[in-house]
Amino acid sequence: MGRKILIVDDEVSVRQLLMEIVRKEGFIVETAENGQEALNKMRQNSPDLVIMDIRMPVMSGLEALDIIRAEKPNLLVILLTAYGTVDTAVEAMQRGAFDYLVKPANIGEIRATINRVMTMLNLRDEVDPVNLEPGGIQIPDKIIGRSATMQNLYKIVGKIAKSSATVLITGESGSGKELIAKTIHANSTRTERPFVSINCGALPETLIENELFGHEKGAFTGAGSLQLGRFELADGGTLFLDEIGDLPFSLQSKLLRVLQENEFERIGGAKTIKVDVRVIAATNRNLAEMVKEKTFRSDLFYRLNVVPLRVPPLRERKEDIPLLVEHFVKKYAKKHHCLVPLVTPAALRALTEYEWPGNVRELANLLERTVVLAQGVLDIDDFSFNLSWVDDYIHPNNFITEILNNNDSLKDMLAAVERIILVKVMSEQKGNRSRTAQRLKVSRRTLLYKLQEHRLTDTNIFQYHQNDDEIS
């Protein structure tokens, strides 16, 4: 006898389409118009799978899902939504959905998802399914994006949030790694406890150790009182270790011990301190390569990489850029008490076509500047003005044409392009030479030579933070 599938949607056309797809796969199909009707048919006929819309009259899909989870915890449910945001994704997965699909889902995606369900059902006699406990959602800030890569990321976040597993988030600078970490914490059982963060690349070795583990009074000159470290401050909650790839090698063994034993000693102390901390680490570096180069401990890497999460760069999800533009324009108009400006199609097209090496952070910074200066409309010229020091941000063809019109030699043309790249990356890194060298994959000495060669050593365009540069 074939498997039974219950299709629930208030739109007749959607029900008919899904029914046709499912029947062709050999399944027995029943339909319902809302969550209440779905519950009645579930109780009568015991389906193997429910495919259900979220937004319906009488009773929503999420309300029905809660009741299904309580009455039949092993029944698998796929939710349908026309609003593929992180809110719906995380909530759907945390409340126990097997998966969710964003309308309009293509036939291939529907079939592939159903096949995965059937694989689960066929294994059910051998493996007991995990019962996920339903729970509420508290998102600290919105993660914007409906692209396929972001939908997959939302699903993983929803699945792992309530666990205490260590997470390693990788991705380029500015892609939103810390926001993902905060979202995991906000949806965890630790949400009432602290979320504590530290940037491992922003402090010298002696200060990092002190910040992580604290010190006893009199541990060293100037230690006039007891200081708690980040691990103690995060007890019961989450510790976010940003730029973990920059953690000095000499401290990696001490961090490994805390991860394995949940204990440590303060600097200058003999008392062992026990903590209960979930660690989420993030990096824009390739830790696997660093392990090969013996600059990062392999045992620490494996301990951190329990649940790997990759945040895609903005250039890999350009379909999300219009959503991000809309979000940031409204956000900064409200913040600076401005009218919400209209973004022209030409400006939006240019923003979408640009590669955004600084990712979402770069887009947000640009939009904040332009919103403040806007007069009701954001056009392409408004963005060019804010990026006047490198016109090829929005007008790359204009820049190339200008170089060619100068009748310079190839050497001079390449030098002009090199100067643009130096200015752009140095500006992104706010003048921090060490980070700029790392981003460009050159030595610091080579970078200094190039800056001198292009007479960029004294310019104030980079908004230098000398202290940051000295401790990188």
Side-chain angles (χ1 to χ4, degrees), residues 1-6 27-28 45-50 74-77 117-118 121 124:
M1 187 174 178
R3 297 282 190 183
K4 291 185 287 187
I5 296 180
L6 175 60
F27 301 111
I28 299 169
N45 302 314
S46 299
D48 298 293
L49 170 66
V50 178
N74 292 338
L75 177 58
L76 302 182
V77 179
V117 173
M118 293 309 140
L121 293 176
R124 179 164 283 174

Side-chain angles (χ1 to χ4, degrees), residues 205-226:
E205 180 176 342
T206 52
L207 288 184
I208 291 179
E209 183 176 13
N210 189 47
E211 285 294 317
L212 285 174
F213 307 113
H215 64 254
E216 299 286 351
K217 180 179 179 180
F220 49 81
T221 303
S225 60
L226 169 71

Side-chain angles (χ1 to χ4, degrees), residues 305-465:
N305 200 39
V306 176
V307 179
L309 281 181
R310 177 182 177 269
V311 183
L314 192 51
R315 64 180 174 276
E316 290 184 9
R317 55 184 190 104
K318 288 191 172 184
E319 60 267 46
D320 291 334
I321 290 178
L323 295 172
L324 288 162
V325 171
E326 179 184 7
H327 169 73
F328 287 126
V329 164
K330 291 178 179 178
K331 174 182 177 179
Y332 293 125
K334 182 178 180 180
K335 175 182 177 181
H336 298 292
H337 308 287
C338 307
L339 292 174
V340 178
L342 171 70
V343 182
T344 67
L348 188 59
R349 191 182 314 114
L351 293 172
T352 304
E353 290 174 355
Y354 178 55
E355 290 298 304
W356 298 108
N359 293 295
V360 179
R361 183 186 298 133
E362 182 184 2
L363 174 63
N365 290 343
L366 171 63
L367 289 171
E368 183 168 16
R369 293 197 300 271
T370 51
V371 164
V372 170
L373 297 172
Q375 296 183 345
V377 176
L378 294 185
D379 203 354
I380 193 167
D381 291 334
D382 295 300
F383 296 109
S384 298
F385 171 79
N386 282 280
L387 298 168
S388 57
W389 49 268
V390 50
D391 192 52
D392 66 319
Y393 255 58
I394 304 298
H395 300 291
N397 292 333
N398 293 356
F399 173 69
I400 297 298
T401 301
E402 182 179 349
I403 290 180
L404 293 174
N405 289 341
N406 289 338
N407 294 318
D408 290 330
S409 66
L410 177 61
K411 179 180 179 181
D412 291 334
M413 286 189 284
L414 291 175
V417 173
E418 187 176 72
R419 188 179 194 278
I420 288 292
I421 292 172
L422 287 169
V423 171
K424 185 172 78 64
V425 177
M426 281 288 285
S427 294
E428 288 173 2
Q429 302 301 330
K430 296 183 178 179
N432 188 304
R433 296 166 182 166
S434 297
R435 292 190 179 280
T436 300
Q438 181 184 350
R439 171 68 179 83
L440 295 174
K441 295 181 173 61
V442 298
S443 67
R444 199 171 188 276
R445 180 177 296 179
T446 298
L447 175 65
L448 293 175
Y449 170 79
K450 289 293 183 181
L451 293 175
Q452 292 173 352
E453 182 182 5
H454 291 285
R455 299 180 181 177
L456 294 173
T457 52
D458 296 324
T459 180
N460 62 1
I461 196 172
F462 302 133
Q463 302 171 11
Y464 277 106
H465 294 281

Side-chain angles (χ1 to χ4, degrees), residues 79-85 100-106 109 146 151:
L79 291 178
L80 301 172
T81 176
Y83 306 91
T85 67
Y100 81 99
L101 298 172
V102 178
K103 293 180 179 180
N106 61 59
E109 185 180 10
R146 296 178 187 170
Q151 297 295 329

